Amino acid sequence: MIPPRTTPPVNTRQQRRYPLPRRIRQLTTTHHKTNYQTGLSARVAATTFGNGPESVSAYEYFDKAASGAGFLTIAAGHVLDVVEAVLGDITEIDARTELLWPQVKLVDTGALSVREVPDHLDAIAKTSSGAPVGVQILAGVPASDAQFSLEVRGSEGWLKLTSDHPAGVQVGDLTLSSSVDFTAPDSPVATGTGPTAADIWTGAAINVGEVYASLARDITNGTHHTPGFQHAAHNSRLIARVEQAARTGVRH
């Protein structure tokens, strides 16, 4: 077997909380279909520094059900979207959610806020590629322990996508390693650094840059490759299925 290979970071796009991470798809679609297509399975471990036991008052709305912008819609929405980009649509899902920190300390005011939404997810899914995938997403993880890992294995090899941005897989860079050789992707259109952003958000502009580059290509070429509302609706429906599976204990 060819020794493991690694590329410089591969970039996902911020818009695929809903939209597809184009660069991941360019690399992994070829590899998992041609080299790993029998005995295919996957596992995902993901973290975010958000949705933990402490927050600030400006972010209190993330913990309120009415906002629609909580742990499942953001952290889980991004992670499951990457799973679908690599392995195809999730056709079945079993899920368990938990509310580990029902009270959140707002460190800027000292007040306690009631969290109304889950802050933990374990899921087992089946994808349209035929691959089962196990997913665990942890919230409130310190920056020093941040990780994202999607490992795909098949009869002929493996590939792994990794990152370590504290905010989650949707921010910053991804790196692909594999048991087979592959061609590195194109360079990103943005560097992900700038004079005004806080250090913690270094890398985020890479993903936003990919969105604008995709839109520019569509406008220039008269195409419609940049994912839009239909894809957003698909991701929203997927998270609704996760919530329903967790609430009822029935696969969806």
Side-chain angles (χ1 to χ4, degrees), residues 29-250:
T29 300
T30 299
H31 286 291
H32 84 70
K33 285 186 176 177
T34 60
N35 297 308
Y36 311 126
Q37 60 187 7
T38 58
L40 194 67
S41 65
R43 57 182 177 178
V44 178
T47 66
T48 176
F49 63 2
N51 313 106
E54 294 184 341
S55 187
V56 295
S57 54
Y59 292 162
E60 186 178 7
Y61 72 96
F62 286 129
D63 293 323
K64 303 305 179 184
S67 75
F71 169 79
L72 288 179
T73 52
I74 298 176
H78 279 104
V79 170
L80 295 180
D81 198 55
V82 174
V83 170
E84 289 198 315
V86 175
L87 296 170
D89 287 355
I90 290 174
T91 57
E92 298 179 348
I93 192 160
D94 297 276
R96 175 71 179 261
T97 60
E98 292 291 344
L99 179 51
L100 301 181
W101 293 291
Q103 287 192 320
V104 181
K105 182 179 179 180
L106 304 179
V107 296
D108 56 326
T109 66
L112 290 178
S113 177
V114 175
R115 175 167 288 150
E116 301 172 351
V117 295
D119 49 29
H120 180 93
L121 173 65
D122 292 290
I124 301 173
K126 185 71 175 289
T127 61
S128 60
S129 65
V133 55
V135 180
Q136 183 177 70
I137 308 174
L138 306 178
V141 174
S144 58
D145 296 330
Q147 74 163 57
F148 171 82
S149 174
L150 166 57
E151 182 178 2
V152 181
R153 286 189 172 270
S155 58
E156 311 249 347
W158 57 267
L159 64 79
K160 185 183 290 187
L161 291 166
T162 57
S163 76
D164 60 0
H165 197 285
V169 66
Q170 71 275 15
V171 181
D173 296 326
L174 286 170
T175 299
L176 174 66
S177 56
S178 176
S179 60
V180 300
D181 202 5
F182 57 87
T183 302
D186 296 336
S187 298
V189 298
T191 63
T193 61
T196 59
D199 288 344
I200 192 65
W201 298 115
T202 296
I206 294 175
N207 306 322
V208 176
E210 292 299 302
V211 176
Y212 281 103
S214 180
L215 287 169
R217 287 190 296 270
D218 280 344
I219 292 170
T220 300
N221 301 324
T223 55
H224 298 84
H225 298 310
T226 304
F229 180 80
Q230 189 173 24
H231 186 84
H234 169 84
N235 188 269
S236 294
R237 287 191 291 266
L238 174 59
I239 296 305
R241 288 166 56 200
V242 171
E243 293 175 315
Q244 191 171 10
R247 183 172 59 252
T248 63
V250 177

